[in-house]
Amino acid sequence: MSDAPEVSRPVITPVRVVIALCLVAPFVAMLWVSSYAKVEPTFIGIPFFYWYQMLWVLISTLLTMIAYKLWQRDQRARKTEQVQGGAGQ
């Protein structure tokens, strides 16, 4: 057994910040109602208020998928690092 201290990765990493931003962005966009509470511009006769929210359904799906894939990659990297770190001791 080694006397060297175990080095672990920090909890807050740039990848995790990106994941958080991907998950928080739709909430901010939808809670900031004054930014989209208007009729113009219309899109195929649909007022801005409605089509903007429907667009965010698609954007939210995409951002959630990106966050999930980044999280999976981060967890795999941590698990690999942990296994390699444990084997070297």
Side-chain angles (χ1 to χ4, degrees):
M1 192 160 151
S2 172
D3 290 335
E6 185 177 320
V7 178
S8 62
R9 291 179 68 183
V11 175
I12 299 174
T13 62
V15 171
R16 288 185 175 196
V17 171
V18 171
I19 291 168
L21 289 174
C22 285
L23 296 175
V24 169
F27 288 101
V28 172
M30 290 294 91
L31 290 175
W32 186 17
V33 178
S34 63
S35 70
Y36 63 92
K38 51 191 170 185
V39 175
E40 295 293 328
T42 59
F43 176 69
I44 59 171
I46 302 170
F48 180 73
F49 180 78
Y50 295 111
W51 70 256
Y52 177 81
Q53 291 178 71
M54 291 299 106
L55 180 63
W56 269 101
V57 170
L58 300 175
I59 294 169
S60 298
T61 303
L62 180 65
L63 289 173
T64 303
M65 286 176 17
I66 291 168
Y68 178 70
K69 291 299 183 183
L70 287 172
W71 180 258
Q72 279 185 323
R73 190 173 75 179
D74 184 59
Q75 292 303 302
R76 273 194 307 264
R78 285 177 181 269
K79 186 176 280 190
T80 303
E81 189 176 278
Q82 190 176 36
V83 169
Q84 289 175 350
Q89 291 181 355

